[in-house]
Amino acid sequence: MPRTVSDGGEDFDGDVSSQTGSHRHTDSNSTHHHHGYKVGFPPARGLFAEFADGVKETFFADDPLREYKDQSRSKKLWLSLVHLFPVLDWARSYKFSMFKGDFIAGLTIASLCIPQDIGYAKLAFLPAHVGLYSSFVPPLVYAMMGSSRDIAIGPVAVVSLLLGTLLQEEIDPVKSPYEYSRLAFTATFFAGITQAMLGFFRLGFIIEFLSHAAIVGFMAGAAVTIALQQLKGFLGIKKFTKKSDIISVMESVWGNVHHGWNYQTILIGASFLAFLLTTKYIAKKNKKLFWVSAIAPLISVVISTFCVYITRADKQGVAIVKDIKQGINPPSFHLIYWSGPYLAKGFRIGVVAGMVALTEAIAIGRTFAAMKDYQIDGNKEMVALGTMNIVGSMTSCYVATGSFSRSAVNYVAGCKTAVSNVVMAIVVMLTLLLITPLFKYTPNAILASIIINAVVSLVDYETAYLIWKVDKMDFVALLGAFFGVVFASVEYGLLIAVAISLGKILLQVTRPRTALLGNLPRTTIYRNVEQYPEAAKVPGVMIVRVDSAIYFTNSNYVKERILRWLRDEEDQQQEQKLSKTEFLIVELSPVTDIDTSGIHALEELLKALEKRKIQLILANPGPAVIQKLRSAKFTELIGDDKIFLSVGDAVKKFAPKSALNV
């Protein structure tokens, strides 16, 4: 193996020191070598300094107050305002040339969002106009407070499904639609409060607990569930199950097959679904034709509404949207439940919906920010999304967030800033004021095909296949979330996703990797013998590396794993009649931290080794580790002469014969 291996090494500083050590060894006599460098102790720090540092890294990792240093009071006030309302910053450099891109993107996403909103409101069992309201007020609030340029705000399929599922467990939307709407606004209010609080207290890292794989599985499961829910409108079934799991839905579909399906409805739904999927395929093949698939839903609505109106198909059982209330959002502050049993229920539903909406919006925002190479501040985004939903809940909207399909169209259509959201909101407002009566004869089947077409892209099988190839445990999380949503419900899918993600963390924390190291021929580099089969074991010396911090969760495992390595080694030595192990070197460079349980485990390891007449040697401990070992007096117990800068130095001292062969 060429010597360049050291370049990519994980204990790079150790290698350099051992190599410089070997040169020094040849220059002067060997006794001077070990006085050159010893393991350094970092300066002692007080409890308060350590605690303050921990808090800063947890909550203020992005150093948000950096800009405020050495500024005048008026400048600080301005910076605070810009922090809350990024619009003040980018609006100053806004040019008319940018408006062209934003205007076209805004019109394009408006034509896509109007039919989608009506459909998504149905998914949440809310009146169609509430869906449109939610694409009017929230995007305006977001345009002032959000930091993403590409995200398109409005109701989304997954959150609508989740809300619909959770709300109808409490109130029947058909029997008491008024109370149902009130509970929806209450849940939206608390979803906003949850999001804003997470951002305000800088707790954004909480949503990181949902791993990427779990989100991919959850989204795919939700897409399947949403598509199944659309079978009611698609097949024209009157009596349909309230449950969202696949078994109940399929029973409902087959139960109605003889007398419940409406063939005109199926004809409308299927032909337009084929049209929508074709336009989607065209847009995917040729990026310049993105507008074809973006405007297709609106064209479908117009044509199908016209056909139904001319043929009066609604008289033959084709279900239609009926009246959509005209006019813009009425206030709904007085409708939110501020007391009584529904307050707690609204709170519970709001927290869940708020978290899901956040996860989706932040994921979308980061994706597009990476494509255009700008940063978005997760905590700022949460405050913006939260405020927008709080304002929304008081203006008759339900939970809005970033929509993946619309954000993608917004991006491709050439949006430059959040002004595209403002354009979209204005178009929605004009729709509400002027043209909602025209939607009266829109068949439900069209909305069903628009939603099926929109959620197809949520099934990301390419990423799923990649996850399967890279990490099987991640794939289990993906499957768990997917089947949880499809066979149980959206909330169970979420719970399973979180549980598996946490389980994975626990597994990694409680069972860290350990490795046996050997010497790469003609170097002073020591590497994992599994990764480098040519690395030779040093006679009489066993070298083990622990690849994680040593805490109470894993300290016992680490100790027993090292003793197990020793036992295996001893069995091998007896079989092959090799020299007995006299030294155990523990390479500590990947050990970032240790707690009292970890030190206790090292003490027990030391006792076990003393019984076997084996000396314990530590190599390359980091600052936090050596500091704690010294405070616990473990360095005195083992002896300062048993702590080395690198494995190479330790071998040179205790097994000089094998070191000379290098």
Side-chain angles (χ1 to χ4, degrees):
M1 201 76 189
R3 287 184 65 137
T4 49
V5 175
S6 68
D7 297 349
E10 54 269 30
D11 47 358
F12 188 59
D13 41 61
D15 294 340
V16 173
S17 63
S18 56
Q19 284 179 3
T20 49
S22 61
H23 295 315
R24 203 179 297 121
H25 180 71
T26 51
D27 296 343
S28 60
N29 76 54
S30 103
T31 49
H32 291 302
H33 160 62
H34 291 292
H35 301 299
Y37 275 114
K38 280 203 133 174
V39 169
F41 288 92
R45 297 170 68 211
L47 175 70
F48 181 73
E50 275 194 27
F51 178 72
D53 220 37
V55 169
K56 181 173 180 266
E57 279 310 307
T58 307
F59 298 105
F60 303 102
D62 53 347
D63 194 9
L65 301 174
R66 197 174 52 241
E67 307 163 337
Y68 293 89
K69 284 187 188 127
D70 313 321
Q71 301 285 4
S72 64
R73 187 174 287 177
S74 56
K75 178 81 172 149
K76 279 181 184 167
L77 184 69
W78 170 250
L79 284 171
S80 306
L81 277 172
V82 167
H83 187 81
L84 252 184
F85 301 103
V87 64
L88 296 172
D89 187 31
W90 57 259
R92 290 189 300 173
S93 55
Y94 194 77
K95 297 184 192 69
F96 186 72
S97 58
M98 297 160 100
F99 181 67
K100 194 181 122 198
D102 284 335
F103 184 68
I104 292 168
L107 287 180
T108 316
I109 50 176
S111 69
L112 178 62
C113 90
I114 292 164
Q116 275 186 359
D117 289 347
I118 298 170
Y120 291 159
K122 279 199 172 319
L123 248 189
F125 302 105
L126 286 162
H129 54 263
V130 175
L132 290 168
Y133 290 165
S134 309
S135 270
F136 169 46
V137 174
L140 292 176
V141 178
Y142 183 84
M144 292 191 295
M145 298 185 69
S147 52
S148 167
R149 301 172 203 163
D150 303 276
I151 205 164
I153 295 292
V156 298
V158 178
V159 178
S160 305
L161 170 75
L162 180 68
L163 266 180
T165 318
L166 296 175
L167 291 169
Q168 67 166 354
E169 283 173 10
E170 308 298 341
I171 300 176
D172 186 332
V174 181
K175 288 184 186 142
S176 32
Y178 177 69
E179 283 78 13
Y180 184 85
S181 294
R182 287 189 64 182
L183 188 59
F185 299 145
T186 310
T188 304
F189 176 76
F190 285 112
I193 291 285
T194 307
Q195 294 170 333
M197 285 299 141
L198 284 176
F200 182 75
F201 291 114
R202 309 188 69 79
L203 297 171
F205 58 86
I206 289 178
I207 60 166
E208 310 282 348
F209 275 113
L210 264 178
S211 67
H212 174 62
I215 292 173
V216 171
F218 174 73
M219 288 295 191
V224 171
T225 308
I226 291 163
L228 289 172
Q229 289 285 312
Q230 297 315 308
L231 290 174
K232 176 186 180 189
F234 197 84
L235 304 170
I237 298 171
K238 299 265 192 305
K239 285 184 184 155
F240 199 70
T241 176
K242 286 271 196 302
K243 296 187 178 134
S244 66
D245 62 286
I246 188 165
I247 294 164
S248 313
V249 171
M250 281 308 166
E251 279 175 353
S252 205
V253 169
W254 290 120
N256 284 305
V257 70
H258 292 303
H259 43 137
W261 292 18
N262 180 292
Y263 291 100
Q264 289 101 320
T265 306
I266 297 173
L267 180 71
I268 295 170
S271 51
F272 281 104
L273 181 60
F275 166 65
L276 290 168
L277 291 171
T278 311
T279 57
K280 193 175 214 165
Y281 179 76
I282 292 169
K284 205 172 180 180
K285 281 278 170 265
N286 185 348
K287 289 275 183 281
K288 287 208 178 83
L289 296 173
F290 70 90
W291 54 272
V292 176
S293 75
I295 205 161
L298 200 59
I299 292 172
S300 315
V301 168
V302 172
I303 295 173
S304 61
T305 308
F306 183 65
C307 293
V308 170
Y309 178 67
I310 285 182
T311 59
R312 294 316 306 259
D314 53 311
K315 296 267 195 291
Q316 280 125 45
V318 172
I320 54 173
V321 171
K322 301 200 177 75
D323 293 325
I324 297 182
K325 212 160 127 193
Q326 208 169 350
I328 55 169
N329 311 25
S332 59
F333 180 81
H334 59 286
L335 295 176
I336 296 172
Y337 286 110
W338 300 110
S339 58
Y342 286 130
L343 174 70
K345 287 171 178 170
F347 175 74
R348 184 179 64 82
I349 296 169
V351 170
V352 178
M355 291 292 232
V356 175
L358 252 195
T359 313
E360 189 170 352
I362 302 269
I364 295 165
R366 281 183 185 156
T367 307
F368 290 107
M371 285 181 186
K372 280 194 185 171
D373 193 28
Y374 65 93
Q375 266 0 103
I376 66 162
D377 178 341
N379 292 306
K380 223 189 250 183
E381 282 295 282
M382 290 178 196
V383 173
L385 292 160
T387 312
M388 137 192 131
N389 279 320
I390 293 169
V391 174
S393 70
M394 297 175 184
T395 50
S396 308
C397 306
Y398 76 102
V399 183
T401 185
S403 151
F404 206 90
S405 55
R406 289 194 291 254
S407 301
V409 168
N410 197 23
Y411 172 80
V412 181
C415 71
K416 297 285 181 281
T417 61
V419 170
S420 59
N421 271 308
V422 178
V423 175
M424 174 188 81
I426 292 168
V427 176
V428 172
M429 176 190 77
L430 294 172
T431 307
L432 279 165
L433 287 173
L434 308 170
I435 58 176
T436 46
L438 302 180
F439 286 110
K440 183 176 177 179
Y441 289 103
T442 302
N444 285 344
I446 268 298
L447 302 175
S449 13
I450 287 170
I451 292 178
I452 293 172
N453 174 55
V455 296
V456 166
S457 52
L458 291 178
V459 182
D460 192 349
Y461 52 89
E462 285 165 4
T463 305
Y465 178 62
L466 190 71
I467 290 170
W468 159 253
K469 280 205 317 203
V470 174
D471 190 332
K472 302 292 182 280
M473 190 67 201
D474 262 358
F475 191 71
V476 171
L478 182 148
L479 284 185
F482 177 77
F483 288 124
V485 174
V486 172
F487 285 100
S489 70
V490 182
E491 42 187 329
Y492 280 121
L494 253 190
L495 280 174
I496 293 169
V498 174
I500 294 177
S501 301
L502 286 174
K504 190 179 172 218
I505 296 171
L506 284 175
L507 250 181
Q508 286 168 340
V509 171
T510 54
R511 294 288 178 266
R513 292 170 192 266
T514 50
L516 266 186
L517 306 187
N519 175 246
L520 290 174
R522 296 179 303 288
T523 68
T524 49
I525 299 166
Y526 291 81
R527 284 286 180 269
N528 188 340
V529 290
E530 276 185 15
Q531 192 180 355
Y532 300 97
E534 68 273 27
K537 289 180 184 170
V538 181
V541 181
M542 185 173 154
I543 308 163
V544 177
R545 190 182 69 217
V546 182
D547 287 342
S548 128
I550 305 175
Y551 289 137
F552 65 95
T553 47
N554 61 19
S555 55
N556 213 26
Y557 169 79
V558 169
K559 178 194 75 180
E560 285 172 2
R561 187 72 188 93
I562 292 174
L563 290 172
R564 203 162 84 229
W565 282 123
L566 260 179
R567 270 203 309 279
D568 296 349
E569 195 76 1
E570 282 170 356
D571 294 346
Q572 225 177 343
Q573 285 160 358
Q574 279 174 347
E575 275 173 34
Q576 300 171 4
K577 300 195 170 47
L578 298 167
S579 57
K580 209 176 141 311
T581 304
E582 291 174 46
F583 304 101
L584 171 73
I585 301 176
V586 182
E587 152 77 302
L588 292 174
S589 52
V591 180
T592 49
D593 202 359
I594 192 165
D595 65 1
T596 44
S597 306
I599 296 171
H600 185 64
L602 282 182
E603 286 166 359
E604 288 179 352
L605 177 66
L606 185 64
K607 282 181 198 150
L609 293 174
E610 280 168 355
K611 281 186 191 153
R612 300 172 184 216
K613 299 195 172 49
I614 296 173
Q615 295 188 44
L616 175 65
I617 296 148
L618 304 179
N620 200 9
V625 175
I626 193 72
Q627 183 78 51
K628 290 182 180 178
L629 291 179
R630 187 191 218 173
S631 305
K633 298 201 163 37
F634 185 76
T635 48
E636 291 172 26
L637 195 63
I638 186 177
D640 275 345
D641 58 334
K642 301 275 176 59
I643 302 175
F644 287 85
L645 208 58
S646 72
V647 176
D649 285 0
V651 172
K652 196 164 288 162
K653 170 88 185 280
F654 292 106
K657 286 198 185 76
S658 48
L660 288 173
N661 300 337
V662 167

